């Protein structure tokens, strides 16, 4: 039976504590990290595919009002694409129509239109938006109002979608 004098020197320099032998080696750690990263990447691909396939369908066309229901310089409130989405239809002095979401892009107050004005005003923090293209003109909002696409079909104005 070999005694302590017969042991190689590395045994004393690098002693192995067998009670700690269940700790992970570097190779095992690298393998774990590689497999873990691969698993997370795979889950991300699956979630992205599910997200793409669950895109909401485009908003359906819906009649908003008759062409003569809004006087030049006036406005009319409506809901589109659902009853939970307030919108505002504007008619400028030349008779052209534009429609926008009525939800302010700052903190979601309802924007209002004063007859003959060129801007939509938000009373909460004095934000304002262009009534021509919905871009922010003043106050805290930095994003434009979503535009409701409007088509004239005979005597009717029909919403056909939303442009964010
Ligand atoms: S919510 Fe409209 S300006 Fe703040």
């Amino acid at each position: 039976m070999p005694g302590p004098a017969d042991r190689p020197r590395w045994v004393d320099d690098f002693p192995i504590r067998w009670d700690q032998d269940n700790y992970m080696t570097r190779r095992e750690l690298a393998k774990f990290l590689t497999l873990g990263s691969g698993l997370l990447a795979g889950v991300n691909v699956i979630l992205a595919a599910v997200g793409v396939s669950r895109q909401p369908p485009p908003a359906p066309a819906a009649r908003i009002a008759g062409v003569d229901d809004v006087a030049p310089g006036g406005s009319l409130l409506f809901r589109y694409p659902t009853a939970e989405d307030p919108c505002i239809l504007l008619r400028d002095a030349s008779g052209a129509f534009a429609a926008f979401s009525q939800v302010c892009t700052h903190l979601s107050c309802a924007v209002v239109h004063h007859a003959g004005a060129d801007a939509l005003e938000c009373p909460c923090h004095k934000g304002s938006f262009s009534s021509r293209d919905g871009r922010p003109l003043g106050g805290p909002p930095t994003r434009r109002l979503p535009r409701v696409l409007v088509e004239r079909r005979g005597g009717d104005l029909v919403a056909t979608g939303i442009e964010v």
Side-chain angles (χ1 to χ4, degrees):
M1 181 151 205
D6 299 329
R7 283 195 317 219
R9 189 166 169 200
W10 66 265
V11 172
D12 293 327
D13 292 341
F14 304 101
I16 297 172
R17 295 191 52 197
W18 293 108
D19 57 328
Q20 294 181 352
D21 191 45
N22 58 349
Y23 286 132
M24 194 179 277
T25 64
R26 263 187 285 176
R27 180 171 296 184
E28 287 170 334
L29 177 65
K31 197 186 300 182
F32 169 77
L33 291 177
T34 304
L35 291 175
S37 299
L39 184 66
L40 286 177
V43 168
N44 276 329
V45 168
I46 291 169
L47 289 177
V50 169
V52 166
S53 67
R54 285 190 170 183
Q55 292 284 329
R63 181 183 183 277
I64 299 173
V67 171
D68 297 329
D69 292 345
V70 187
S75 62
L76 179 135
L77 300 180
F78 65 102
R79 303 219 168 223
Y80 181 81
T82 73
E84 310 298 318
D85 304 304
C87 298
I88 187 165
L89 173 70
L90 307 169
R91 187 173 193 182
D92 68 16
S94 72
F97 291 96
F100 302 95
S101 166
Q102 203 189 1
V103 180
C104 177
T105 57
H106 179 226
L107 291 176
S108 302
C109 288
V111 297
V112 294
H113 179 253
H114 300 293
D118 287 339
L120 290 161
E121 305 290 338
C122 179
C124 289
H125 310 104
K126 300 192 185 309
S128 65
F129 299 87
S130 164
S131 58
R132 221 163 33 92
D133 56 14
R135 72 188 147 82
L137 297 176
T142 57
R143 292 174 292 131
R144 68 177 53 225
L145 291 171
R147 174 189 283 270
V148 178
L149 305 175
V150 178
E151 280 180 19
R152 197 171 177 153
R153 294 183 184 170
D156 291 332
L157 296 169
V158 178
T160 58
I162 295 183
E163 191 179 85
V164 179

